[in-house]
Amino acid sequence: MRDPLAFSIPALSKAVQPWADRLAFPVLPLHAHEVVGSALFYTFVHVVVSPALSSRFFPKYYPRHSRAKKANWDAHVVSLIQSVIINSLALWVIFFDAERKSMDWQQRVWGYTGSSAMIQALACGYFVWDLGITLLNLDIFGIGLLAHAVSALAVYSFGFRPFLNFYSPVFILYELSTPFLNIHWFFDKLNMTGSKAQLYNGIALLATFFSCRLVWGSYQSVLVYADMWRAVRRSPDALYVAAAAAANAASNSMFLPFADPDANMMAFVTAAAEQPVPVWLALVYVASNIILNTLNWHWFFKMITAVRKRFDPPKGGDAGKAAVKEEKKPSAVTTATGVIDEKKHVVPGNNLTHRRQHSIIEDVVPDSEELRDGTIQ
């Protein structure tokens, strides 16, 4: 399937061509406008859209006077918008790109389709924004998020070789849980902690986290490991190399010395014809994937532990029961205006605050900043 956002900006293609040659990223000139456009769009959302809409609709809660809190709020708005866009596009590519569905293992490693490269380019643009905003606010976001932004940008950039172009929409579906994560965060900021809306959103968060990051992610990781194992042991078939070389020889493109990649999924294979995939490149992907999957399972088991604490019977025997009974004795009565203590004195206060119980989902779901440290945003 062709890139639906494909169009030519000769000046931009010419500008990035030296970098593409130096980094061995022949696909980059085709998608540079998507990387730049995506980064600029998310910067615009962060700087203009989020402050304007948040101040308009949530004036009581938007922390416009706190630099750290404002940066965090605006970053969550960008993350929410990005995850909705990229998930929708990735699902569309997976379901409707017939060429992608027909790929064999060699095409999954060295092949190219415009639609999958679009997903990769838009993701790179987001990570460029993420890297920039983290560097500008390093005291707020910290070294952990900086390392996350650098590693994510590096891994997705290698797809411009092209390399594992097939898997770009596959692993971006980790982001399916991100909208619910951001919504959960906003519920807390809007004083809706413990509400039914947060409960239902929390259930959706746990369900998508488990199904997308653990089940789907682990299954696809096994498949990509198998493809990379074969790719480091052998080069592309001679027929693929010969067909690509013949087509590329007839190309007259000024900026891209390759045949139309939409007509030949292996148009870029000649760059890898002399040897298999470099071992270092495969190790970078495997190491990154293992770290990510390990963190996802770690968070999932923390969720399970938190759930079990809610249902396990209290420990401590008779002493524990006595303590529970003692806790049940009322020492104060809550009224609409405050709390009446044992001496009948009214203590001003918000009874809703005193009566509010901790949300189960609040305890089960990791804090959004903690989860972001361990996942691709």
Side-chain angles (χ1 to χ4, degrees):
M1 181 187 291
R2 292 181 178 272
D3 180 358
L5 302 179
F7 58 88
S8 177
I9 304 180
L12 180 60
S13 298
K14 185 176 181 180
V16 302
Q17 189 64 59
W19 291 95
D21 294 338
R22 186 176 296 111
L23 298 172
F25 289 169
V27 177
L28 180 58
L30 283 176
H31 299 277
H33 65 286
E34 291 166 338
V35 176
V36 174
S38 176
L40 292 177
F41 171 72
Y42 292 125
T43 301
F44 178 74
V45 172
H46 185 269
V47 174
V48 178
V49 176
S50 176
L53 294 183
S54 300
S55 298
R56 173 68 176 82
F57 293 103
F58 308 106
K60 292 174 56 180
Y61 305 102
Y62 183 59
R64 63 174 63 86
H65 300 301
S66 171
R67 172 176 166 267
K69 293 180 179 179
K70 181 178 180 296
N72 202 17
W73 178 294
D74 293 334
H76 276 84
V77 172
V78 176
S79 176
L80 176 60
I81 293 175
Q82 185 267 346
S83 59
V84 171
I85 293 174
I86 204 69
N87 285 327
S88 301
L89 292 173
L91 289 171
W92 173 69
V93 169
I94 288 174
F95 284 114
F96 294 104
D97 190 345
E99 291 176 319
R100 180 182 172 278
K101 292 180 181 179
S102 67
M103 284 182 164
D104 59 26
W105 77 266
Q106 296 185 65
Q107 292 169 328
R108 291 196 296 269
V109 174
W110 289 287
Y112 167 92
T113 67
S115 59
S116 293
M118 172 195 68
I119 300 297
Q120 169 203 330
L122 295 178
C124 280
Y126 171 75
F127 291 128
V128 168
W129 165 83
D130 192 25
L131 176 60
I133 204 66
T134 303
L135 287 172
L136 291 174
N137 300 277
L138 190 59
D139 58 319
I140 298 173
F141 296 114
I143 298 298
L145 288 184
L146 177 62
H148 172 270
V150 171
S151 60
L153 179 60
V155 168
Y156 267 84
S157 296
F158 282 126
F160 290 122
R161 294 178 69 94
F163 179 61
L164 300 177
N165 174 272
F166 172 90
Y167 288 99
S168 62
V170 169
F171 287 106
I172 208 68
L173 289 186
Y174 276 20
E175 293 288 323
L176 279 172
S177 63
T178 303
F180 303 106
L181 176 63
N182 284 298
I183 292 172
H184 177 81
W185 186 88
F186 281 114
F187 277 142
D188 284 340
K189 301 306 175 184
L190 299 177
N191 288 340
M192 295 179 65
T193 302
S195 64
K196 287 186 177 180
Q198 190 179 50
L199 173 64
Y200 299 146
N201 178 79
I203 293 172
L205 170 58
L206 295 179
T208 53
F209 187 95
F210 176 77
S211 59
C212 298
R213 293 180 182 266
L214 302 186
V215 178
W216 170 262
S218 298
Y219 171 69
Q220 292 297 329
S221 295
V222 172
L223 297 182
V224 75
Y225 294 163
D227 285 344
M228 284 192 292
W229 172 251
R230 286 180 284 192
V232 297
R233 301 176 66 195
R234 56 176 293 186
S235 300
D237 287 345
L239 291 177
Y240 281 137
V241 176
N248 294 337
S251 174
N252 294 317
S253 172
M254 181 182 301
F255 302 111
L256 187 67
F258 296 93
D260 182 3
D262 292 309
N264 178 9
M265 290 188 292
M266 299 290 278
F268 301 100
V269 76
T270 52
E274 299 298 326
Q275 59 183 0
V277 167
V279 174
W280 67 265
L281 182 58
L283 289 177
V284 167
Y285 271 79
V286 170
S288 299
N289 185 268
I290 289 176
I291 292 173
L292 175 60
N293 286 335
T294 301
L295 288 169
N296 286 332
W297 281 100
H298 168 71
W299 283 122
F300 179 71
F301 283 117
K302 289 193 70 174
M303 294 178 186
I304 295 298
T305 301
V307 171
R308 291 186 60 183
K309 287 181 179 179
R310 289 289 179 174
F311 296 97
D312 285 344
K315 299 179 181 179
D318 295 336
K321 293 179 181 179
V324 171
K325 290 181 179 179
E326 185 66 24
E327 289 178 359
K328 289 183 178 179
K329 292 181 179 180
S331 60
V333 177
T334 302
T335 70
T337 58
V339 178
I340 302 177
D341 62 16
E342 293 176 341
K343 296 181 179 180
K344 308 301 182 182
H345 294 150
V346 177
V347 181
N350 188 340
N351 65 307
L352 294 178
T353 303
H354 290 285
R355 292 191 305 176
R356 176 175 290 170
Q357 297 179 351
H358 291 293
S359 167
I360 292 178
I361 294 299
E362 183 184 11
D363 292 336
V364 171
V365 178
D367 179 78
S368 56
E369 282 75 17
E370 295 175 324
L371 191 56
R372 191 180 178 211
D373 283 342
T375 58
I376 291 181
Q377 288 279 328

